[in-house]
Amino acid sequence: MSTVNIKPLADRVLVEPAAAETTTASGIIIPDNAKEKPQKGTVVAVGPGTKDVEMTVKIGDTVLYGKYAGTELNVEGKDFLIMREADIFAII
Amino acid sequence: MSTVNIKPLADRVLVEPAAAETTTASGIIIPDNAKEKPQKGTVVAVGPGTKDVEMTVKIGDTVLYGKYAGTELNVEGKDFLIMREADIFAII
Amino acid sequence: MSTVNIKPLADRVLVEPAAAETTTASGIIIPDNAKEKPQKGTVVAVGPGTKDVEMTVKIGDTVLYGKYAGTELNVEGKDFLIMREADIFAII
Amino acid sequence: MSTVNIKPLADRVLVEPAAAETTTASGIIIPDNAKEKPQKGTVVAVGPGTKDVEMTVKIGDTVLYGKYAGTELNVEGKDFLIMREADIFAII
Amino acid sequence: MSTVNIKPLADRVLVEPAAAETTTASGIIIPDNAKEKPQKGTVVAVGPGTKDVEMTVKIGDTVLYGKYAGTELNVEGKDFLIMREADIFAII
Amino acid sequence: MSTVNIKPLADRVLVEPAAAETTTASGIIIPDNAKEKPQKGTVVAVGPGTKDVEMTVKIGDTVLYGKYAGTELNVEGKDFLIMREADIFAII
Amino acid sequence: MSTVNIKPLADRVLVEPAAAETTTASGIIIPDNAKEKPQKGTVVAVGPGTKDVEMTVKIGDTVLYGKYAGTELNVEGKDFLIMREADIFAII
């Protein structure tokens, strides 16, 4: 898990997407542009919440989220997603 | 019913869709691509609810939901739907 | 009136649509595909309501609702409509 | 004014539209399909209101409403409009 | 100012539009179809307000409102506009 | 600053737009149709506010607002903008 | 960091965008029209907040925000962005 010096505002969560798997279940290596975008990631920073939203996820949680959740953010050369906690479906 | 190690957030419910029936009422076997998408399923995980939503469904409930409810989620190789409790019409 | 073993969630109501009349006021029998969709039905199951909605209709009430109200639901081989109480115009 | 055995739900009002006038101000009789849809009617049934809406109109009030207000409802062979009180502009 | 026997509901206001001026600032008489729609009018009836809206305008006030505010209403042969107080910009 | 006899309703503010500058920073005189619409103006009248909005701007404040904020209003031969205080970005 | 004499209203924040970098990671100088719009900036003025929004960012904070956040504002010859605090993702 990456550590970054960043403080999300309000009910936002910074997520490091899991690396897309390059081998299919049947062991065939798929070329880069066929990789499915990951929908699983690790929480690396959590906002303080708002008057209406008490935060549930914690740093280090593995979370599932929708394919189009969040905004891509490049921090210190790594790609992250910043999303609202409401965009996270579940903790696994 | 499947058991999965997953904690839905907020008012979300993880549902295992019932297998689509491959035989019609009159006993005719229908080919795979004509199968109607199931709208019935079993609750396998329930979120804690929110300040506004107290959860009603429980693990093991058979529920009815709309054809387009929820988001498909593959967990440990099985297909589930994660939806908000508000997308569930009724318990049968 | 049908009885079904189904518990609508929240402010939902299960309605059994009245059979469309096959004879017009003047006694002419109309062919099947000209039948108007019924907008009258009988309440067969009522949800518990929500924090914001106290339920008014009761099982057995004959209700009027809009032509496009609710979602069709087949329960135990019969066709019903499940709708929110807010979709019901009046009790007759 | 018609009397009907119908109980509107919530903040709904059952209105009997005034008959469209078939004679213009200058006394010319206009053919049926040129008649303007009435925007004036008589209240024949009033719902109990809601937590947020206390009802103002009473049975017998003559009310003005927008050209597209409400839903047409045929009750006991007569045409009515069922609308929310918020769709009524004024009592005259 | 006209007087009319009409009670607007809720936060509605009945406004008598000012007659469009038929002479431009430079004294040229403009033909009828070039007349700008008036945006100034006189309040002739005021609703009781709502739980959320306490009425500010009074009968007799000259008010300014947007070009598309309100609904045209013919009462006793005269043309009025019925609008919500929120559609009125200012009293002059 | 103009003075006008006008009382904005609710959370509205009457603003006198600053004259568009006809000379660019580099001193070139630009033709009239290239002039940028001013986004700076002076507050000439302020509404009383609403239950939800306490007014911040005062008469005489120079304010910045969006290019499409407000509605043009001609009062006593001068052009003003009437807008909600929420359309004002800042006081300078 | 620039200092400006400007008071944002409500929950608005004035941000001075960071200069776009003209050299790519690999050291190649990119021409002006290929420069990516900065998404990082420095807070130069903060509004008082609203009844619903208590401000979190302070003058001098480096903030990250979406590519289309805010409105461009030229103050004293410099380009700024004025945005709501809700448009700011994080403080770095």
Side-chain angles (χ1 to χ4, degrees):
Chain A
M1 192 184 96
S2 304
T3 58
V4 289
N5 188 17
I6 181 169
K7 284 182 285 184
L9 289 194
D11 56 344
R12 286 194 180 81
V13 176
L14 190 74
V15 173
E16 184 179 16
E21 277 152 44
T22 51
T23 319
T24 64
S26 52
I28 299 166
I29 289 161
I30 47 172
D32 197 71
N33 61 353
K35 276 192 275 186
E36 217 188 12
K37 260 191 127 179
Q39 294 185 259
K40 190 197 291 191
T42 307
V43 173
V44 293
V46 180
T50 69
K51 216 170 60 182
D52 292 323
V53 181
E54 204 181 319
M55 303 305 279
T56 301
V57 300
K58 294 183 308 298
I59 293 181
D61 281 350
T62 302
V63 292
L64 300 174
Y65 49 87
K67 210 177 267 195
Y68 305 107
T71 302
E72 295 184 8
L73 213 60
N74 188 289
V75 185
E76 299 160 20
K78 281 202 206 97
D79 284 327
F80 294 93
L81 284 170
I82 190 144
M83 59 184 76
R84 297 183 174 277
E85 184 174 289
D87 293 329
I88 298 180
F89 294 146
I91 303 172
I92 58 172
Chain B
M1 191 184 97
S2 304
T3 58
V4 289
N5 188 16
I6 180 169
K7 285 182 284 184
L9 289 195
D11 56 344
R12 287 195 179 81
V13 176
L14 190 75
V15 173
E16 184 179 16
E21 276 152 46
T22 51
T23 320
T24 64
S26 52
I28 298 166
I29 290 159
I30 46 171
D32 197 70
N33 61 353
K35 274 191 275 185
E36 217 187 14
K37 260 192 128 176
Q39 294 185 259
K40 190 198 292 192
T42 307
V43 173
V44 294
V46 180
T50 69
K51 216 170 59 180
D52 292 323
V53 181
E54 204 181 320
M55 303 305 280
T56 301
V57 301
K58 294 184 310 297
I59 293 181
D61 281 350
T62 302
V63 292
L64 300 173
Y65 49 87
K67 210 177 268 195
Y68 305 107
T71 302
E72 295 183 9
L73 212 60
N74 188 288
V75 186
E76 300 160 19
K78 281 201 207 98
D79 284 327
F80 295 93
L81 283 169
I82 190 144
M83 60 185 74
R84 298 183 173 277
E85 184 174 289
D87 293 329
I88 298 179
F89 294 146
I91 304 172
I92 57 173
Chain C
M1 191 184 96
S2 304
T3 57
V4 290
N5 188 18
I6 180 168
K7 284 181 285 183
L9 289 194
D11 56 344
R12 287 193 180 82
V13 176
L14 191 74
V15 173
E16 184 178 16
E21 276 152 45
T22 51
T23 320
T24 64
S26 53
I28 299 165
I29 290 160
I30 47 173
D32 198 71
N33 61 353
K35 275 191 274 185
E36 218 188 13
K37 261 191 128 178
Q39 293 185 261
K40 190 198 292 191
T42 308
V43 173
V44 294
V46 180
T50 69
K51 216 169 60 180
D52 292 323
V53 181
E54 205 181 319
M55 303 305 280
T56 301
V57 301
K58 293 184 310 298
I59 293 181
D61 280 350
T62 302
V63 291
L64 300 174
Y65 49 88
K67 210 178 269 195
Y68 305 108
T71 302
E72 294 183 9
L73 213 60
N74 188 288
V75 186
E76 300 160 20
K78 279 200 208 100
D79 285 328
F80 294 92
L81 283 170
I82 190 143
M83 60 185 73
R84 298 182 174 278
E85 185 174 288
D87 293 328
I88 299 179
F89 295 146
I91 303 172
I92 57 173
Chain D
M1 191 184 95
S2 304
T3 57
V4 289
N5 189 18
I6 181 169
K7 285 181 285 183
L9 289 194
D11 56 345
R12 287 193 179 82
V13 176
L14 191 74
V15 172
E16 184 179 16
E21 277 152 43
T22 51
T23 320
T24 64
S26 52
I28 300 165
I29 290 161
I30 47 172
D32 196 69
N33 61 352
K35 274 191 275 186
E36 217 188 12
K37 261 190 128 179
Q39 294 185 259
K40 191 198 290 191
T42 308
V43 173
V44 294
V46 180
T50 69
K51 216 170 60 180
D52 293 323
V53 182
E54 205 181 320
M55 303 305 279
T56 301
V57 300
K58 294 183 309 298
I59 293 181
D61 280 350
T62 302
V63 291
L64 299 174
Y65 49 87
K67 209 177 267 195
Y68 305 107
T71 302
E72 294 184 8
L73 213 61
N74 188 289
V75 186
E76 300 160 20
K78 279 200 208 100
D79 285 327
F80 295 93
L81 283 170
I82 190 144
M83 60 184 73
R84 297 182 175 279
E85 185 175 289
D87 293 328
I88 299 179
F89 294 146
I91 304 172
I92 58 172
Chain E
M1 192 184 95
S2 304
T3 59
V4 290
N5 189 16
I6 181 169
K7 285 180 285 182
L9 289 194
D11 57 345
R12 287 193 179 81
V13 176
L14 191 74
V15 173
E16 184 180 17
E21 277 153 45
T22 50
T23 320
T24 64
S26 52
I28 299 165
I29 289 161
I30 46 172
D32 197 70
N33 60 352
K35 274 191 276 185
E36 218 188 13
K37 257 191 131 180
Q39 293 185 259
K40 191 198 291 191
T42 308
V43 174
V44 294
V46 180
T50 69
K51 217 171 58 181
D52 293 323
V53 182
E54 205 181 318
M55 302 306 279
T56 301
V57 301
K58 295 184 309 297
I59 293 181
D61 280 349
T62 302
V63 292
L64 299 174
Y65 49 87
K67 209 178 268 196
Y68 305 108
T71 302
E72 294 184 8
L73 213 60
N74 189 289
V75 186
E76 299 160 21
K78 279 200 209 101
D79 286 326
F80 295 93
L81 284 171
I82 191 145
M83 60 185 74
R84 298 182 175 278
E85 185 174 289
D87 293 328
I88 298 179
F89 295 146
I91 304 172
I92 59 172
Chain F
M1 193 184 94
S2 303
T3 58
V4 289
N5 189 17
I6 180 169
K7 285 181 284 182
L9 289 194
D11 56 344
R12 287 194 180 81
V13 175
L14 191 74
V15 173
E16 184 179 17
E21 278 153 44
T22 51
T23 320
T24 64
S26 52
I28 299 166
I29 289 161
I30 47 173
D32 197 70
N33 61 353
K35 273 191 277 185
E36 219 188 13
K37 257 191 130 180
Q39 294 185 260
K40 192 197 290 191
T42 308
V43 173
V44 294
V46 180
T50 69
K51 217 171 59 182
D52 293 323
V53 182
E54 204 181 318
M55 303 306 279
T56 300
V57 301
K58 296 184 307 298
I59 293 181
D61 280 349
T62 301
V63 292
L64 299 174
Y65 49 87
K67 210 177 267 194
Y68 304 107
T71 302
E72 295 183 8
L73 213 60
N74 188 289
V75 186
E76 299 159 21
K78 280 202 207 98
D79 285 327
F80 295 93
L81 284 170
I82 190 144
M83 59 184 75
R84 297 183 174 277
E85 185 174 288
D87 293 328
I88 299 179
F89 295 146
I91 304 172
I92 57 173
Chain G
M1 193 185 94
S2 304
T3 58
V4 289
N5 189 17
I6 180 169
K7 284 181 285 182
L9 289 194
D11 56 345
R12 286 193 180 82
V13 176
L14 190 73
V15 173
E16 184 180 16
E21 278 153 43
T22 52
T23 319
T24 64
S26 52
I28 299 165
I29 289 162
I30 47 173
D32 197 70
N33 61 352
K35 274 192 278 186
E36 217 188 12
K37 261 191 128 180
Q39 294 185 259
K40 191 197 289 191
T42 307
V43 173
V44 294
V46 180
T50 69
K51 216 170 61 181
D52 293 322
V53 182
E54 205 181 319
M55 303 306 279
T56 301
V57 300
K58 295 184 306 299
I59 293 181
D61 281 349
T62 302
V63 291
L64 299 174
Y65 49 87
K67 210 177 268 194
Y68 305 108
T71 302
E72 295 184 8
L73 212 60
N74 188 289
V75 185
E76 299 160 20
K78 281 202 205 98
D79 285 327
F80 294 93
L81 284 170
I82 190 144
M83 59 184 75
R84 297 182 174 277
E85 184 173 289
D87 293 328
I88 299 180
F89 294 147
I91 303 172
I92 57 173

